[in-house]
Amino acid sequence: MSICEDDWTEVFQNISDVLFSFTYVHLRLYFLGQVPVTGTLAILVDGAGWNPDWWSYDATNNAIRFEQGHHPAPGSTVLVSYQADSCSP
């Protein structure tokens, strides 16, 4: 595509696709600041408890991973509470 083109629809669509892909991944994975003690994780989304079947703890990345179709909507407030494992770095 030339910068002289009149129609930039395709360029903006490509930019949108890339940004949406990044946002989608971001919404599915929430990194934690400390390693949690097993069994102490609780998730609230916009003040409501989030079904434990809709998320899992990813120990490799120390993150909460929301299952496909169950990630919080853009703009939601996500609160993850847990007891930190004092034996972990």
Side-chain angles (χ1 to χ4, degrees), residues 1-64:
M1 168 161 225
S2 167
I3 195 164
C4 298
E5 293 288 329
D6 289 333
D7 185 3
W8 283 69
T9 304
E10 183 179 349
V11 171
F12 287 119
Q13 183 62 52
N14 290 340
I15 291 170
S16 173
D17 290 347
V18 168
L19 291 175
F20 178 76
S21 293
F22 173 76
T23 301
Y24 180 72
V25 169
H26 175 71
L27 289 174
R28 289 196 61 212
L29 199 61
Y30 285 73
F31 296 96
L32 304 178
Q34 297 179 295
V35 175
V37 171
T38 303
T40 65
L41 282 161
I43 311 252
L44 296 176
V45 177
D46 294 330
W50 207 246
N51 186 330
D53 293 334
W54 296 349
W55 58 271
S56 59
Y57 174 63
D58 178 344
T60 302
N61 293 303
N62 192 38
I64 298 299

